[in-house]
């Protein structure tokens, strides 16, 4: 995707201002409570106080000072966050003023800034029907801006989709538990349930589906030329035909049901965002749900 330097800098800055503002003001605290650290880590010892758990007594220190001391633990907060971003051709579609790819980029950027606000590392796997690029997790604003530039300018080799390849890569490159957001329209002809099951057992996986509202309900606009973004196949359809529109809607519902069943069976939290939805409210709902 070609973009001159001035235009690129403007887009990066615009996304940074919006995403950073959201992560600082709206998601403050919610991201922290929704995505837990790796557990509890030893912090220090202090003298035993009434009500302390006797199981936390440090017997070595207690024996040395001849009075009881307990170990103090704190949450090992640092996370590694991976963004698995679909860069296939079907994301280059939009009928409501924004492409699915643009919506996905804003969501990914917001999550990225939320992560660095909590001092978490963040990395990216771009995937189509194969892994297009892997960027190792790091911390810091400079790294985040690099990731956003890549989201805006990356040109994939393939226009097809296989979500399973992204998940398989995640399982290979991430040896320790991480939080992984899979951001895709999930227009894939290949079953990815096995890769998802393996990933969800090892990592905290969250699926974010981005879709165009016209994919859910076909409008009555007469004769229309449609192109398969992944195969390039072209054809004309008569959207005035109510049977065609019903068939299209039924196909959408069936596909969504299969996707929901796949995610549910792997116990993966998810949300579906239309390009004309307020994704901020939907992310907040997701965070609140996970915090309960």
């Amino acid at each position: 995707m070609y973009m001159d330097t001035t235009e690129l800098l403007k887009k990066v800055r615009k996304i940074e201002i919006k995403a950073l503002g959201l992560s600082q003001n709206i998601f403050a605290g919610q991201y922290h409570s929704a995505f837990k650290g790796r557990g509890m880590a030893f912090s220090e010892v202090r003298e035993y106080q009434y009500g302390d758990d006797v199981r936390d007594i440090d017997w070595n220190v207690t024996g040395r000072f001849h009075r009881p001391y307990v170990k103090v633990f704190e949450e090992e907060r640092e996370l590694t966050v991976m963004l698995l971003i679909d860069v296939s051709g079907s994301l280059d579609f939009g009928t409501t003023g924004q492409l699915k790819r643009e919506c996905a980029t804003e969501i990914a950027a917001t999550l990225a800034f939320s992560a660095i606000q909590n001092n978490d590392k963040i990395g990216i796997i771009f995937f189509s029907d194969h892994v297009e690029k892997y960027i190792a997790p790091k911390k810091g604003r400079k790294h985040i801006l690099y990731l956003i530039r890549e989201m805006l300018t990356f040109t994939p080799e393939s226009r097809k989709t296989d979500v399973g390849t992204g998940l398989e890569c995640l399982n290979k490159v991430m040896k320790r538990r991480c939080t992984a957001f899979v951001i895709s329209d999930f227009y894939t002809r290949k079953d990815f349930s096995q890769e998802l099951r393996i990933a969800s057992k090892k990592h905290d996986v969250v699926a974010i589906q981005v879709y165009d509202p016209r994919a859910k309900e076909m409008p009555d606009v007469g004769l229309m030329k449609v192109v398969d973004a992944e195969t390039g196949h072209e054809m004309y359809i008569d959207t005035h035909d109510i049977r065609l529109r019903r068939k299209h809607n039924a196909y959408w519902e069936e596909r969504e049901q299969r996707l929901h069943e796949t995610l549910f069976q792997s116990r993966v939290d998810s949300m579906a965002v239309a390009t004309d939805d307020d994704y901020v409210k939907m992310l907040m709902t997701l965070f609140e749900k996970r915090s309960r």
Side-chain angles (χ1 to χ4, degrees):
M1 183 188 301
Y2 174 76
M3 193 180 299
D4 65 51
T5 304
T6 303
E7 183 184 359
L8 174 60
L9 290 174
K10 285 182 180 178
K11 280 185 174 286
V12 169
R13 184 59 179 158
K14 182 179 178 181
I15 288 178
E16 178 187 17
I17 291 171
K18 182 175 182 179
L20 188 55
L22 291 173
S23 62
Q24 286 179 331
N25 302 323
I26 297 178
F27 298 142
Q30 288 191 327
Y31 171 90
H32 179 99
S33 58
F35 301 99
K36 308 297 182 183
R38 289 192 292 264
M40 304 303 291
F42 172 74
S43 176
E44 60 182 350
V45 294
R46 61 166 172 76
E47 283 196 59
Y48 177 86
Q49 298 174 1
Y50 178 76
D52 285 339
D53 192 332
V54 295
R55 291 175 295 183
D56 293 334
I57 292 177
D58 188 319
W59 294 106
N60 291 329
V61 178
T62 296
R64 192 180 311 145
F65 291 97
H66 305 292
R67 56 182 183 271
Y69 277 78
V70 294
K71 295 178 181 178
V72 178
F73 295 87
E74 62 182 18
E75 183 184 2
E76 192 176 3
R77 189 32 246 177
E78 181 181 293
L79 286 174
T80 297
V81 177
M82 288 299 299
L83 302 176
L84 280 65
I85 302 179
D86 184 350
V87 291
S88 63
S90 60
L91 273 290
D92 292 319
F93 178 77
T95 62
T96 57
Q98 187 179 45
L99 299 178
K100 288 187 285 183
R101 188 179 307 282
E102 294 169 341
C103 181
T105 297
E106 285 197 18
I107 292 171
T110 302
L111 292 171
F113 277 108
S114 296
I116 63 166
Q117 290 299 308
N118 284 273
N119 202 35
D120 296 335
K121 295 179 181 178
I122 187 157
I124 281 183
I125 296 172
F126 290 120
F127 69 90
S128 54
D129 61 347
H130 63 273
V131 175
E132 296 273 356
K133 187 169 186 176
Y134 165 64
I135 302 175
K138 292 182 182 178
K139 297 181 182 180
R141 177 177 177 274
K142 184 177 179 181
H143 179 63
I144 295 299
L145 295 180
Y146 165 63
L147 296 183
I148 294 174
R149 285 195 299 269
E150 286 295 299
M151 292 179 208
L152 290 170
T153 62
F154 186 77
T155 302
E157 294 177 353
S158 174
R159 297 186 63 81
K160 297 181 179 180
T161 312
D162 182 359
V163 177
T165 61
L167 293 166
E168 189 175 10
C169 177
L170 173 72
N171 294 331
K172 288 180 179 178
V173 300
M174 300 305 297
K175 303 304 180 185
R176 300 185 69 179
R177 181 176 176 82
C178 75
T179 296
F181 294 93
V182 185
I183 306 175
S184 173
D185 57 9
F186 292 93
Y187 283 1
T188 178
R189 293 178 173 85
K190 292 185 178 181
D191 177 63
F192 60 92
S193 57
Q194 182 177 353
E195 292 88 349
L196 183 63
R197 278 196 299 272
I198 295 171
S200 64
K201 287 179 181 178
K202 184 178 179 182
H203 306 292
D204 181 10
V205 181
V206 180
I208 299 179
Q209 180 190 17
V210 179
Y211 69 92
D212 187 274
R214 296 294 180 263
K216 185 175 182 179
E217 186 171 350
M218 182 182 292
D220 182 359
V221 293
L223 195 64
M224 181 171 66
K225 180 181 178 180
V226 293
V227 181
D228 188 316
E230 299 196 359
T231 66
H233 177 70
E234 299 179 3
M235 64 181 296
Y236 284 91
I237 59 174
D238 182 8
T239 61
H240 187 62
D241 187 341
I242 191 171
R243 292 171 300 178
L244 176 65
R245 296 201 305 276
R246 286 175 177 170
K247 187 175 181 180
H248 173 84
N249 295 347
Y251 170 75
W252 166 267
E253 295 295 339
E254 180 185 346
R255 199 177 66 83
E256 287 297 286
Q257 183 62 35
R258 287 200 306 269
L259 175 59
H260 292 159
E261 288 175 358
T262 297
L263 298 175
F264 178 78
Q265 288 169 2
S266 292
R267 298 181 180 179
V268 170
D269 287 334
S270 65
M271 67 180 233
V273 184
T275 53
D276 60 351
D277 279 339
D278 183 348
Y279 69 82
V280 175
K281 289 183 179 179
M282 304 188 79
L283 280 173
M284 290 180 68
T285 300
L286 175 66
F287 288 4
E288 289 170 1
K289 176 184 174 183
R290 290 177 58 91
S291 300
R292 292 171 190 162

